[in-house]
Structures are given as C-alpha cells and as structure tokens.
Amino acid sequence: MVEANKEIVTMKGIYKSFLSVQALEDVDFTLNLGEIHALVGENGAGKSTLIKVLTGVEQPDAGVVMINQQKMTIRSPQHAQEIGISTVYQETNLCPDLSVAENILIGREPMKWGLVIDRKAMNDNARQILQELGVDLDVTQTLGECSVAIQQMAAIARALEISSVKVLVLDEPTSSLDMSEVDQLFQVIRKLRESGVGIIFITHFLDQVFEVSDRITVLRNGRLVGTYETTSLARLELIQKMIGRSLAAYDNMTQTKLESSQHIESEALLEAKEVGLAGSVEPFDLDLHAGEVVGLAGLLGSGRTEIARLLFGIDKPDKGVITMDGEVIKNYSPLDSIMRGIALCPEDRKAQGIVGELTVRENIILAMQADLGWFKYLGMKKQYEIAEEYIKLLNIVTPSADQPVKNLSGGNQQKVILARWLATNPRLLILDEPTRGIDVGAKAEIQKLVLLLAEEGKSCVFISSELDEVMRTSHRIVVLRDKEKTAEFSGDVDEPTIMHAIGGSE
Amino acid sequence: MKQTSFFRRIRDSRLFWPLAAWFIILAFNAIVMPDFFKVDIMDDPVYGKHFYGNIIDIFNNGAPLILVSIGMTLVIATGGVDLSVGAVIAISAAMGTVLINPALGNELIENRILTENTTRTPLPIIILADLAAGAACGLWNGLLVSRAKIQPMVATLILMVAGRGIAQLITNGQIMTIYYTPYFWFGNGYILYLPVSIYIVAVVCIIAWLLVRKTSIGLFTESVGTNATATYYSGINEKNVKLLAYTFCGICAAIAGLIFSSYVHSADGNNNGLYYELDAILAVVIGGTLMSGGRFSILASVVGAVIIWTFTVTVYSLGVPGQALLAAKAVLVMLVILLYSDYSRRLISRLFERKGSKHEAAS
C-alpha cells in the first residue's frame, strides 16, 4: 500500500492507425499501482488497440508510453512481460489436457537433477501461488475438467508467475463465467489490488465495472472521452458517454412492448408437448404464438440452448411431439426447419454462426440459398441487393459487402448472422444469446429489432443470460433450472421473483 | 490512387501468384533456351497435321494432372484430401484396356487376336464404364468421409492402397497392351492442330466452373471448408457437399486414366498415375487453396498443374537426367512453400506497397 497512487503506466497522446482506419487518436491513459481501472467503450472504440500498444503487440504511430515515469518503447509482448506487464486474454490460451499445476508453471517447471521435472515441487509451488490468490484446489487435476472460472484463475496465476507483475491486463475475463464464478474472480482481483498491482479491466458488463473498479476510462471511436472516479459516475451517464447519445431506445422499449402485446395471435404457431431428450432436457411444454416474444431465462447450462436445438431440429427429441400449424413434425434437420419457417441464431457465434472466410454477402445469403437448394443459385445482382438491404437495415458496419466476415467486429458479425436468418423470412425466430459480447448500443438495437419483428407478426424466442434484457424484450418468460422448465411468467413480474425461480430458492 | 487500387486488385486475385510463378519459369526458359517456345507444324501419317513443341507437350502431357487437380481442388476446399486419385487412374486405365481387349474370353489366345485392331466393347460404353468406375470410387471415398466420419487422409488411404490391387485384379496382374486405334485418339489425336486432351481438359474445366459458380455448390463447398458446423446450422447438408466433391474428384481421375491409357496404349496397375495424388495436391497448393479448406479457385489449380509440367518439361529440356527429376521437383516444392509462407507474402506486399506509394508521390 506504500506505493499506492503512484503512476505505474502513463500513456500520452497515443495515435495508431491501421491502413485507412484511425484506431486511436490522441488517447491519454494512466494507471496507478493498487487500483482497478476499467476500460470501457463500444466495439471498435479502441480498447484492444490501446492494450495492444501497452503490451507491445502494436507500436504506436505517435505518443509516449511511460512505465514508472520512465519513457519506454515496448518492443514485444515478451518485453512487456519482462518489465512487469502481464495480460490474460478472453480466450485463455492454456492446455486443457495438462494439469492445473503444469499449466501454471509450463516452461518454468522445477527440475530434479537438472533432468526430470520435480512433480512434487511443481505441485507445491502451484498450490502456493493459487493459495496466495485465495483459491484452494487440487492442482493435479486436468485443467479441462475444471470450471471456466478456475481456468481463468490458472491463467491469472500463470500471468503472475511469469514475472514480478506490476500491471495486469484482464481482457473480458468474465464473459463466460456465471455469477458465483465472477465473485470468485473479483475476490482474486481485489486481493491483487491490495498487494499493489495495477489492474486494467476490460468488460462489456457495466454492473461489474461499478462493482469492482476504482476508476473508469471511456473510449469512443478511438478517442478518449474521459477518465472518471467510479463513485462519481452514474450508470446511465456512463452509457451515454460510451455511445455518445442518450439511450432513447431503451425508454421507448417498454412502450413498444406494451403496444405489440395486443397483436399476439391466440392460436399457437408451434406447440411442444412433453418434449424432451434424455441427457439434454427434461420433458417440457411450450407454445409459441405469432407476434409474441418468449424469453428463456436461466443460468448457463440450465437447458435454454438445448430447447433451442430441439425446436430447430439440430437434435431430435426422444419424447413428446412438436406440432407446427397443427401438423406433427416428423423430419428433424436444420433444413427441414428452415423450410417450415424456423430460424435459429446460435449461441456460439464463432463456432456455429459465422463462416469467417466468406464475405458478408455470402454469409447473409447462406441460409436463404440452402432453402432454395443447390441449383437455384441466386444471381449476383440479387445477392448484392439482399446484402445491401440488410447491411442498411441492421446498420452493419463494413467497408463493403465483399469484406470477409472475419474482419468485422463481434457485434457486426452478430448482425450478419441475424441478417442471414431474417433473409429466410422466418415465422419463428429463435435467438440464442444474440447480444453476447457486443456493446450496449448494438444490444439495444438488437432488442428493439426483436420487438419490431414480433410486431410484424413473427414469433420470437429470446434467450439470454442477462435477465434485464430478457425482461425488457419478452412478453412471456419461461424459466429453466437444471435442464428442467420450472416456471412461466406473463405480464408484469418483478426481477426478484424471476431470480428466485432461476436460483431455485424459496 | 486508382492505379494503386488496380495493382492491388490484380495482386489480390487468386490467379496472381500462380501466374507470376509460371511467368518466372517461362522467362527463365526464354533466356536460357530460346528454342523452348518454338512450335513447328508436323505432319503425322496417322493423326494428320498438328503443332509440335514444348508448349504443346506441357499441355498434352499435363492433361491428366490438370484433370485430377480440378477434382482435387473441390475435395481440398471442403477441408479434405483425396489420396486415392492415382489408384483411380490405374483402375480406370485397367477398365478401359480390359473392355477393349479382344483376347479376353477367347480360349485360344493367339498373338493375331491379341494384337487385332478391334474391340470387344463399343467405345461409348467403355467411356461410360470408366466414368462409372471413377464415380463409384469417389462415392466410396465420400461415404467414408461424410457418413462414416473417417478422417479424409485415412479414408482415402484405403483406396490408395486397395485401388492398385483392384486395377491388377482387373487386368489379371498383367501389363495390358491394346491395339484398338480409335481408343488412341484421346491421348494422341488432334483437332485443329491441337491435341484432343486439351479439349477434354477445357470441357471438364468449363463444366466444373459452371457447376461451382453457376450453382450454389461452390458457395456451399467454401462454406463447409471454412466452418462445417456453422454451415450445418445454416441448413446446408454438409455431408452431401462432401460426397459430391469426392465423387467429382473420382470422375476427374477416371477421365485422366482414360487419357493415360490411350496415350501409352496400355494399362499398368502398378505404375499408372503413380504419385499423381501428391502432384495434384501440390498443384492445388500452388493455386493458393489452403489445405484447411475454404476459398478455392479451379483456374488457379489448373495453372498450378501447368506450372508443375512446365517445370518438368524445362528440366528435361535442360538435359537434366530423368533420375534427377524428383530432386529438382523437391526444389520447386521448397520454393513454392517458402514463397507462400505468410512471412514472404508480407515481405513482398510491403515491397509492392512502398513502390506503390512512391509511385503515388511521384504522380
């Protein structure tokens, strides 16, 4: 604590451009020892670029980086580590088949007789490092079997072990953690703060920013908006600073939802009766109506995604019947579902959603083309027309329709997948975590779009880990717990009631 | 500014690198062997007047490889590989010669019957049987890969080994020689002074191009090769896309086998199309299609195959002995791999960029 409030990182007037894009423009940033500094901004605001400059991945075009008041040129990530800057990335680059201890000490294993790894020393060593972080576990177990939170801890432990860390960068560490795991992580972060480490925390979850950080730096479009004491900033104020305008979209939403609820058809579009699949989800009843948004709430792994997979025909139920338009569904495959008018925007954008090498245009027409078949190939002109239409409709930020979709930011990739499904003109749209990892502005846009689609007479299923957005968009909320449907709410419900249903407490 | 973007467009084209490599070899030949490009007109007593020269040889001798490379492109684009094409060439060649051979079924095998200029089976049926054999082989590979979910390299390895055995079984373990002249036309004939094989290649190339760019097959193939799961979620039957690619590849190999046996008037189960799978993979790689699948260009693979044969003919023309050819080829492979590595690409891109900006500044 002696060194607290001493500036460890000072960045002044940082400029960085990639080809024609100005990623950073005159950005200042400071980090003190013993503080948690949240770095926030929408996708493409320049957060990652700033971190890359700090960790030596990129060199700034102009500007000064000072470490400990001394001007420094950080040549490479290795160099950054040598001077005490460690980074834990969103996708932890660990080896899931090795033990926890091996992962923490990989490359620096204690040796016996200079030849073999001293396993006992290694395990003791790893256990000690983890205990310092307040985590107590069996370090000999395989990392892949541990929870994501533990994996994240191991990554942090490894980052701390590499050198005498003074600066720790956490890039979206919580995006795949559940609530208790986040708490565990925060305890570790707070402990590190007490020991005098300066922590840069990047996240999209604003709750967490307020919970854990001391100061907040906001970036927008590559420029610095400002650095604020967390206690002096209100939540709405922060959102406004991030997107540069007030969130009128959110205000209108309740109204839109109320109005649109009048258009819900009484006849069910799709009805599931006692549908279940062993090992995936327990039998459940569900009816979906045109014009209605049904929210599926529950923790990660509670069966939300499994229901989506059954409805879309990725998995075939072994119990119960699904009827659509009064007819019992017999064929289960994504293509059959598309032909029935069902669309699924899948949970894992990278693995199940985007086809990275293909262009925005090709990604958008993909499902539509699948529906048309192999030989009715859409003409180029038509393809561009459709692509341009959805790029405009969903505000997809891309240099052109011919850009490979992998070059787009996460939020825009999500919109491309959404466009792919809207292009098939579905009657039932299932959205599994459509707003994960995307910024507030885009989140609001997507939520609004869902309500708009319902108003047009589509039936929507909205799945999300964030309860507030499920509540904001859904006319009816189905709660799942431990692979089972436990409750259904329609009309006005308050958050605690749903929380209890999700958590299972009385 | 416009000029730079024009340069960039050319450079970003999939054909740029393969064509550049080809021109380098041709330029080398032009300097070292001015005679390399000489094309004469030859009057053949059997096949009539036709062009004659190294360039013609490249395309005529390279035709089987070009055909196989076209099929291989589609397979590699789905993220797979087909190691059995060489064996399928042998099977196709064996089928063709066996169906022709008038001696088969004759109890009295006399040399007179054996060397007769006649066939047991009408030519169209021979062609169809060859194609069917190739399609069946491809279908087998495709089923193993898409339905049984065996890794492509392992799945096609089965036919790579078994195929040569099948070819030998068909010809009863013999090297079969044929004397039926109409069959020779495919590998030796000429239309308008140019070898028939060039026309066959052109037709297959056009059919393949139409198939992949005028239907959604090309899009689906690239999608499967890039992200099979996302493709499946999008409602595309990724299994059938793979099945089609392997089947098409089998058919291409069968046509190559037909030209092969026609060219050398015989079928040899052990040696027909030997190592063609490796050359075809090399051609596809030179064409810039990644082994991991995804984006592909059939034309670029064709250029890749042409490069391999230009190189081969060049090495022969230089008087390098045949036994040194493989060593020389290894040098080519090394150069290609180095040239295509990310590092050297970036290096060359940077050189271009600098030139481009200088050019801009000057103008």
Side-chain angles (χ1 to χ4, degrees):
Chain A
M1 286 304 282
V2 192
E3 286 188 323
N5 291 330
K6 191 177 152 218
E7 266 181 31
I8 173 79
V9 175
T10 316
M11 298 171 89
K12 273 205 184 108
I14 304 290
Y15 282 81
K16 176 76 195 171
S17 65
F18 297 104
L19 293 174
S20 56
V21 184
Q22 190 74 36
L24 289 175
E25 207 175 337
D26 196 16
V27 172
D28 299 342
F29 180 80
T30 60
L31 177 73
N32 295 336
L33 284 174
E35 82 163 338
I36 300 175
H37 196 138
L39 188 57
V40 297
E42 296 200 275
N43 289 325
K47 292 169 299 191
S48 338
T49 313
L50 189 67
I51 293 308
K52 279 180 183 157
V53 169
L54 178 63
T55 53
V57 179
E58 302 282 355
Q59 298 302 323
D61 298 337
V64 184
V65 179
M66 290 197 285
I67 306 295
N68 246 340
Q69 321 289 347
Q70 273 175 339
K71 202 176 154 191
M72 277 264 190
T73 306
I74 301 170
R75 295 185 300 269
S76 67
Q78 282 83 357
H79 184 213
Q81 270 176 6
E82 280 161 26
I83 59 175
I85 303 172
S86 262
T87 316
V88 176
Y89 291 100
Q90 187 174 3
E91 277 108 21
T92 52
N93 38 355
L94 300 172
C95 315
D97 293 330
L98 298 183
S99 79
V100 175
E102 283 166 332
N103 264 293
I104 293 174
L105 292 165
I106 199 165
R108 294 173 307 282
E109 304 90 344
M111 301 302 253
K112 228 192 291 190
W113 313 306
L115 273 175
V116 277
I117 294 172
D118 185 348
R119 296 219 159 251
K120 194 172 166 300
M122 180 172 71
N123 290 340
D124 288 345
N125 209 336
R127 198 171 297 122
Q128 198 194 335
I129 298 166
L130 282 172
Q131 260 161 10
E132 276 165 29
L133 295 175
V135 184
D136 198 7
L137 80 153
D138 177 14
V139 291
T140 56
Q141 61 181 318
T142 314
L143 186 80
E145 289 166 7
C146 301
S147 68
V148 186
I150 295 295
Q151 297 188 17
Q152 199 72 256
M153 302 297 174
I156 293 174
R158 180 168 147 190
L160 293 174
E161 217 287 319
I162 286 170
S163 55
S164 51
V165 170
K166 279 173 272 171
V167 177
L168 182 64
V169 182
L170 298 169
D171 191 355
E172 296 262 10
T174 58
S175 59
S176 46
L177 305 187
D178 67 28
M179 280 188 270
S180 66
E181 291 173 329
V182 169
D183 281 342
Q184 206 180 352
L185 180 72
F186 282 178
Q187 276 171 22
V188 170
I189 296 179
R190 290 200 182 99
K191 224 176 181 123
L192 287 172
R193 168 173 63 182
E194 270 161 40
S195 66
V197 177
I199 295 159
I200 301 174
F201 179 49
I202 302 172
T203 186
H204 279 300
F205 297 102
L206 298 185
D207 286 341
Q208 296 175 359
V209 169
F210 283 101
E211 191 186 330
V212 80
S213 72
D214 303 308
R215 284 197 298 166
I216 304 173
T217 288
V218 184
L219 297 180
R220 188 171 73 232
N221 292 333
R223 286 177 208 222
L224 178 71
V225 178
T227 299
Y228 312 91
E229 296 287 328
T230 307
T231 45
S232 70
L233 200 63
R235 196 190 155 95
L236 264 177
E237 234 179 305
L238 175 62
I239 294 175
Q240 276 173 27
K241 289 189 194 309
M242 282 168 69
I243 64 173
R245 60 191 147 83
S246 73
L247 265 187
Y250 278 143
D251 305 337
N252 296 334
M253 213 116 92
T254 339
Q255 188 61 32
T256 326
K257 190 173 119 185
L258 217 67
E259 281 168 16
S260 66
S261 65
Q262 291 160 5
H263 304 297
I264 299 174
E265 302 257 338
S266 57
E267 194 114 328
L269 174 71
L270 182 140
E271 231 176 339
K273 273 218 164 67
E274 286 297 307
V275 171
L277 175 63
S280 167
V281 63
E282 297 296 317
F284 63 92
D285 289 338
L286 187 68
D287 54 321
L288 304 170
H289 301 259
E292 185 187 32
V293 181
V294 174
L296 296 190
L299 298 174
L300 213 74
S302 62
R304 307 172 314 197
T305 300
E306 287 77 359
I307 287 188
R309 288 168 66 95
L310 283 180
L311 294 180
F312 187 61
I314 304 262
D315 297 328
K316 195 178 166 178
D318 57 4
K319 284 189 213 73
V321 278
I322 302 179
T323 46
M324 192 165 177
D325 303 316
E327 271 178 57
V328 177
I329 291 175
K330 289 196 190 77
N331 308 319
Y332 288 90
S333 85
L335 185 57
D336 289 317
S337 297
I338 292 171
M339 295 206 260
R340 279 194 283 274
I342 307 179
L344 168 69
C345 198
E347 180 187 25
D348 190 336
R349 179 169 61 225
K350 246 197 195 123
Q352 303 161 344
I354 60 161
V355 185
E357 294 286 326
L358 300 191
T359 64
V360 171
R361 162 181 56 85
E362 288 167 323
N363 267 282
I364 289 178
I365 63 140
L366 199 59
M368 191 183 188
Q369 187 62 59
D371 189 16
L372 287 172
W374 293 34
F375 296 105
K376 274 194 217 150
Y377 190 45
L378 285 167
M380 273 302 146
K381 203 170 145 238
K382 186 84 187 151
Q383 288 192 19
Y384 278 106
E385 261 174 43
I386 295 167
E388 296 294 346
E389 182 193 331
Y390 283 100
I391 288 172
K392 223 157 111 194
L393 183 76
L394 300 179
N395 284 325
I396 299 172
V397 180
T398 171
S400 81
D402 286 325
Q403 189 72 10
V405 81
K406 64 178 177 189
N407 296 349
L408 268 56
S409 71
N412 285 307
Q413 290 181 355
Q414 187 67 51
K415 287 181 186 172
V416 168
I417 299 169
L418 214 55
R420 176 191 298 167
W421 291 112
L422 292 179
T424 64
N425 195 21
R427 289 185 298 154
L428 170 59
L429 182 62
I430 307 166
L431 301 160
D432 195 353
E433 294 278 8
T435 64
R436 176 182 285 176
I438 67 177
D439 57 65
V440 216
K443 261 182 189 166
E445 273 177 62
I446 287 179
Q447 291 168 23
K448 218 171 115 187
L449 182 76
V450 171
L451 279 176
L452 219 83
L453 291 169
E455 215 176 330
E456 281 174 16
K458 291 190 197 312
S459 171
C460 296
V461 174
F462 190 90
I463 304 174
S464 171
S465 297
E466 290 176 53
L467 189 54
D468 62 324
E469 70 175 23
V470 174
M471 293 184 64
R472 208 175 294 124
T473 47
S474 310
H475 298 111
R476 191 149 53 94
I477 297 173
V478 170
V479 178
L480 291 141
R481 189 176 70 236
D482 295 336
K483 315 273 181 204
E484 219 175 326
K485 179 179 167 183
T486 55
E488 193 170 320
F489 303 98
S490 48
D492 274 334
V493 235
D494 55 347
E495 208 172 310
T497 317
I498 299 176
M499 284 282 218
H500 282 177
I502 291 174
S505 56
E506 295 308 310
Chain B
M1 194 65 202
K2 266 214 174 112
Q3 230 161 357
T4 342
S5 68
F6 177 68
F7 272 129
R8 179 168 292 160
R9 221 172 46 230
I10 292 179
R11 204 178 65 214
D12 286 349
S13 154
R14 308 211 128 243
L15 281 173
F16 175 79
W17 291 100
L19 280 178
W22 191 36
F23 285 135
I24 289 172
I25 299 178
L26 290 181
F28 172 83
N29 288 340
I31 294 163
V32 178
M33 301 174 285
D35 278 354
F36 189 83
F37 296 98
K38 214 171 99 186
V39 175
D40 295 324
I41 292 180
M42 204 188 196
D43 200 356
D44 191 286
V46 184
Y47 299 107
K49 277 190 179 171
H50 62 84
F51 288 127
Y52 174 83
N54 282 329
I55 294 294
I56 305 295
D57 273 355
I58 288 170
F59 284 96
N60 194 17
N61 295 348
L65 182 62
I66 297 174
L67 287 168
V68 173
S69 302
I70 293 172
M72 187 70 85
T73 308
L74 277 190
V75 170
I76 289 182
T78 65
V81 70
D82 187 351
L83 294 182
S84 72
V85 285
V88 175
I89 287 177
I91 291 177
S92 162
M95 281 276 286
T97 49
V98 160
L99 289 176
I100 287 168
N101 209 315
L104 283 180
N106 259 351
E107 278 169 29
L108 261 173
I109 299 179
E110 295 171 50
N111 205 34
R112 182 184 56 76
I113 300 171
L114 206 62
T115 55
E116 224 172 353
N117 181 5
T118 174
T119 176
R120 269 197 319 147
T121 322
L123 199 52
I125 292 184
I126 296 176
I127 296 170
L128 281 180
D130 261 1
L131 295 183
C137 289
L139 206 61
W140 163 258
N141 283 332
L143 286 173
L144 284 184
V145 171
S146 71
R147 297 312 200 273
K149 306 255 178 228
I150 301 176
Q151 283 175 1
M153 198 177 273
V154 181
T156 56
L157 194 64
I158 297 171
L159 194 59
M160 176 184 173
V161 177
R164 299 229 168 257
I166 294 171
Q168 287 179 50
L169 282 178
I170 292 173
T171 58
N172 218 353
Q174 311 224 326
I175 295 176
M176 229 173 229
T177 312
I178 44 173
Y179 299 88
Y180 179 54
T181 39
Y183 190 77
F184 299 163
W185 182 73
F186 299 108
N188 301 288
Y190 293 88
I191 302 172
L192 296 174
Y193 294 92
L194 288 173
V196 173
S197 55
I198 290 183
Y199 293 93
I200 297 177
V201 165
V203 168
V204 172
C205 203
I206 288 168
I207 289 175
W209 185 81
L210 286 176
L211 209 59
V212 298
R213 295 301 169 209
K214 291 295 149 191
T215 72
S216 43
I217 292 168
L219 174 68
F220 289 176
T221 305
E222 287 177 336
S223 184
V224 166
T226 309
N227 186 344
T229 314
T231 309
Y232 174 65
Y233 271 67
S234 301
I236 293 155
N237 190 333
E238 102 278 14
K239 292 176 186 165
N240 288 351
V241 174
K242 286 183 183 166
L243 199 62
L244 181 84
Y246 284 92
T247 309
F248 182 75
C249 187
I251 294 174
C252 285
I255 301 172
L258 188 89
I259 295 178
F260 223 108
S261 56
S262 158
Y263 184 64
V264 295
H265 303 192
S266 70
D268 174 0
N270 261 331
N271 292 309
N272 284 151
L274 198 62
Y275 300 135
Y276 259 57
E277 55 281 342
L278 302 182
D279 276 351
I281 292 170
L282 181 61
V284 175
V285 170
I286 294 176
T289 304
L290 295 179
M291 287 302 288
S292 53
R295 288 272 183 219
F296 68 92
S297 161
I298 285 182
L299 218 54
S301 297
V302 170
V303 176
V306 170
I307 286 175
I308 293 176
W309 268 95
T310 310
F311 184 80
T312 308
V313 171
T314 302
V315 170
Y316 281 138
S317 307
L318 282 173
V320 176
Q323 57 267 34
L325 178 67
L326 284 179
K329 228 175 198 171
V331 176
L332 174 75
V333 173
M334 256 171 58
L335 281 178
V336 166
I337 290 166
L338 283 177
L339 192 71
Y340 277 60
S341 69
D342 278 346
Y343 178 75
S344 51
R345 284 212 165 183
R346 238 176 296 148
L347 201 77
I348 295 167
S349 284
R350 219 173 297 156
L351 283 176
F352 260 90
E353 219 95 281
R354 208 158 289 160
K355 260 187 205 156
S357 54
K358 255 184 209 162
H359 190 85
E360 249 170 76
S363 60

